[in-house]
């Protein structure tokens, strides 16, 4: 079973110069994503799954899919810990 990630309720976003600023409205906490993180965020926000994101990033950057998967999952763990995404089985 694959875990699905979605944007958590109450998270506001603004893209600026290829980066994305995320704000948890209830706490005022913010987080900045670099251009690659922005690609991951946009894909998740549009309903794409982790496998699809990994495939796309690997193809775009010519990187090893296992390394990309590890990096994407590490980002998602961070976003989850900060309350910016939520999961569903």
């Amino acid at each position: 079973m694959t875990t699905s990630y979605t944007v958590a309720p109450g998270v506001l976003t603004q893209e600026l110069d290829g980066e994305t600023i995320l704000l948890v409205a209830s706490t005022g906490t913010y987080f900045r994503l670099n251009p690659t993180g922005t690609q991951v965020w946009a894909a998740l926000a549009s309903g794409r799954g982790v496998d699809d994101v990994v495939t796309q990033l690997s193809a775009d950057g010519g990187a090893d899919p296992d390394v990309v998967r590890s990096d994407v999952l590490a980002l998602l763990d961070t976003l989850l810990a900060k309350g910016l995404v939520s999961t569903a089985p």
Side-chain angles (χ1 to χ4, degrees):
M1 183 182 305
T2 301
T3 301
S4 185
Y5 295 84
T6 58
V7 174
V11 175
L12 306 173
T13 64
Q14 179 67 46
E15 190 170 333
L16 181 65
D17 295 328
E19 296 185 335
T20 299
I21 307 301
L22 310 173
L23 172 70
V24 180
S26 62
T27 64
T29 304
Y30 73 94
F31 194 75
R32 187 181 88 220
L33 298 174
N34 67 19
T36 302
T38 293
Q39 285 182 282
V40 172
W41 182 265
L44 293 175
S46 70
R48 293 172 58 196
V50 172
D51 290 340
D52 191 25
V53 172
V54 169
T55 299
Q56 184 65 49
L57 289 175
S58 297
D60 289 351
D64 181 318
D66 291 332
V67 172
V68 172
R69 178 174 302 283
S70 176
D71 290 346
V72 167
L73 292 176
L75 173 61
L76 292 172
D77 285 345
T78 299
L79 295 174
L80 188 60
K82 293 191 176 288
L84 298 163
V85 296
S86 55
T87 60

